Amino acid sequence: MKFTLPHSTLLLLTICAPALAGKTPSPIEPIMVTLPPGSFIMGTTDNKNSQPVHTVTLPEFSLGKYEVTVREYRRFVEATGFVAPQECYHQLDSWFIGSTPGSWDNNSLTDNEFQPAICVSWAGAKAYVDWLARTTGKPYRLPTEAEWEYAAKGAVQTRFYFGNDPKHPSVCQYENTADLSGENALQRTTSSTYVNFVDGFADCVDHATYASVVGMYQPNPYGLHDMLSNVAELMGDCFEDDYQNARSDGKALSSEQCDRRAVRGSSWHWNIWPVTRRGSQPENFAGAAEGFRVALDGPAPKSSKTTQHFKKQLAFAQQQEQSRRDQQFAYPMPVTGLTLSQSHGNTVLSWDPSPEKDIAGYRIYRNQSAGSMFALMADNVIDTRFIDANASPNVYEYTVVAVRRNLQSNYSNVVKTPGTVFSIPGRIEAEYAHAITGANSARTSDIDGRFNLTGGNGIAEDAQLKYQVNVSQSGHYRLSYRVAGPRDGKGFSVILDEKPLGEHAVKGTGGFHQWQTQQGPRIFLSAGQHTLTLHSHDSHWKLNWLALDSE
């Protein structure tokens, strides 16, 4: 009787055969593309760290057609015993909580040998290219910033090789960017969103929730895939704050003491960034949004037998992945006509019924305060009317999506509550502001106050928090405020309507989770309704509440 091993078993034996035989695995040399020599204008006047704008002239060089995959990186680890990072910023919510257990071959976002190798760190990428060069006798290395920018521009005159708009619906044909499929996954797994976070997402579907199998999107004019997204790419350069020391020949900047390494390009977790945008990270940082590709001086070498075999395996993986994507259900159409009214203390939402007959229902999203990220408030809503009886006095925004087969549409138009006028004397929760710039709300780390205003480094310098207040009678009032922060700061100004009333310092409390009530000098308030504005003069502080008490 003839017995045939299943495909998955054959694949496992293919991977493990060299180790089982006691042989050192030979490297999979990357599939390379030759780039022509040329000159280009590097940098932009839009960002200080991309200046001065300068001309770079590059000789012929080669660049990996794809980002280095898990399969290729596995060969390196098997051959060298390299100890890779075992913690990584790879959970979808770990951008907020820090690194968690996970590695290049065992993390929650990688499920295919032909996805880019992530969670490797710059040191791990450098060790890989050094091993590749040493084993093959060819000087493989990490690309330089200049080489990457030249290759990413693709010798076109538009902002990107596919056009000028990084959020155009057609972008999903070219790059694995933040899109509707990623937004669906983000809401399902972490109850968070790309809306009001960094730069949003493109209104299209690329069917890749995280990093994609390489080469699934159209190449740029040089024949390179995934240059602008999928994963951000680690460079060979030591990162400097600007281009004052940049070389006109495009060689990497090096330093004996390098605090940070250059990173270029965007990823599946972000929208596509300008080609000139620069990033950096420490050599030992490991993240799920970063990977790398390989560079080489001169023309692309002839493919080895191992590389040709890998190319066939990759083509099969791409075919399988495309088949999976072709079988995905279509996303619903967005909800239209969302309106908001208030009755007897309740917020009433109404919207147009979906014209699609197979819609299962609707989901209601609300943020903690206007301008912050949307979180799921209600699911399995059948009617086209919803009453929110649990709204607080702050300004909320609402949006609605249609749902089919657990896939949700893009968001409807956004509607907003008018907010509350607060009585003075009295206490006002920080997140109850009518308008907020330079801060967003988050859960407070203790029981006194549900939320606080904060940001990446606390409330930002020049942030503005506006409150509508009604002062019962003219007189002097003492302002107190509950804050947290790691250091003394310049604090904020208090402005009534457009009249400055004084400045209030914020003293360090010992950290962002150590809260303290502080007081400023007294201020005079005239009776009547006013706009009370707090104008921040420094970062690294949080605000839980403020109170104005009469003296």
Side-chain angles (χ1 to χ4, degrees), residues 144-175:
T144 70
E145 282 199 80
E147 289 172 336
W148 187 92
E149 189 168 319
Y150 176 78
K153 286 184 173 180
V156 299
Q157 300 303 313
T158 51
R159 289 183 65 204
F160 308 99
Y161 70 88
F162 52 79
N164 291 310
D165 185 2
K167 295 185 181 180
H168 192 277
S170 66
V171 69
C172 286
Q173 301 173 28
Y174 298 92
E175 294 286 345

Side-chain angles (χ1 to χ4, degrees), residues 113-320:
E113 288 277 304
F114 297 95
Q115 288 174 256
I118 59 173
C119 299
V120 297
S121 80
W122 184 90
K126 181 65 164 57
Y128 174 87
V129 294
D130 287 350
W131 167 77
L132 195 62
R134 184 172 62 252
T135 307
T136 64
K138 301 168 188 174
Y140 288 109
R141 54 179 173 77
L142 292 174
T144 70
E145 282 199 80
E147 289 172 336
W148 187 92
E149 189 168 319
Y150 176 78
K153 286 184 173 180
V156 299
Q157 300 303 313
T158 51
R159 289 183 65 204
F160 308 99
Y161 70 88
F162 52 79
N164 291 310
D165 185 2
K167 295 185 181 180
H168 192 277
S170 66
V171 69
C172 286
Q173 301 173 28
Y174 298 92
E175 294 286 345
N176 174 23
T177 184
D179 69 322
L180 194 54
S181 53
E183 176 69 10
N184 266 247
L186 205 61
Q187 286 286 12
R188 286 197 305 269
T189 56
T190 67
S191 191
S192 59
T193 173
Y194 290 129
V195 178
N196 296 328
F197 179 63
V198 189
D199 51 3
F201 64 93
D203 185 15
C204 58
V205 176
D206 62 23
H207 294 300
T209 307
Y210 316 121
S212 167
V213 170
V214 299
M216 293 301 300
Y217 306 89
Q218 295 185 30
N220 79 356
Y222 286 136
L224 300 166
H225 290 266
D226 309 314
M227 279 296 293
L228 302 182
S229 197
N230 209 23
V231 290
E233 298 180 8
L234 304 166
M235 301 289 105
D237 302 70
C238 184
F239 181 81
E240 294 191 1
D241 290 337
D242 54 37
Y243 285 147
Q244 290 292 339
N245 297 320
R247 299 176 51 157
S248 61
D249 61 3
K251 297 292 185 182
L253 291 174
S254 59
S255 173
E256 291 183 2
Q257 292 184 334
C258 186
D259 294 330
R260 302 183 70 84
R261 291 290 176 174
V263 182
R264 299 299 295 264
S266 187
S267 79
W268 57 269
H269 195 52
W270 318 104
N271 240 306
I272 291 176
W273 295 334
V275 176
T276 53
R277 180 167 173 173
R278 306 173 67 216
S280 67
Q281 65 183 41
E283 290 188 1
N284 62 352
F285 174 86
E290 293 82 24
F292 68 102
R293 72 178 72 215
V294 175
L296 183 69
D297 293 333
K302 183 180 178 181
S303 294
S304 66
K305 289 184 178 180
T306 305
T307 301
Q308 291 173 16
H309 182 60
F310 170 77
K311 189 182 298 186
K312 292 178 181 178
Q313 293 176 318
L314 173 58
F316 179 75
Q318 291 169 336
Q319 180 183 10
Q320 293 293 95

Side-chain angles (χ1 to χ4, degrees), residues 336-341 347-352 384 386 398 400 412-416:
T336 60
L338 177 63
T339 61
L340 179 148
S341 61
T347 297
V348 181
L349 303 175
S350 300
W351 57 92
D352 299 331
T384 57
F386 180 82
Y398 298 84
V400 177
S412 70
N413 58 300
V414 175
V415 293
K416 183 165 65 174

Side-chain angles (χ1 to χ4, degrees), residues 424 467-471 475 477 493-502 523-534 548:
I424 301 298
Y467 302 87
Q468 297 298 316
V469 299
N470 186 49
V471 181
Y477 292 81
S493 296
V494 176
I495 303 168
L496 191 69
D497 298 324
E498 296 184 0
K499 180 183 177 182
L501 297 183
I523 57 178
F524 181 83
L525 301 177
S526 57
Q529 189 165 322
H530 303 280
T531 298
L532 182 74
T533 302
L534 305 188
L548 283 158

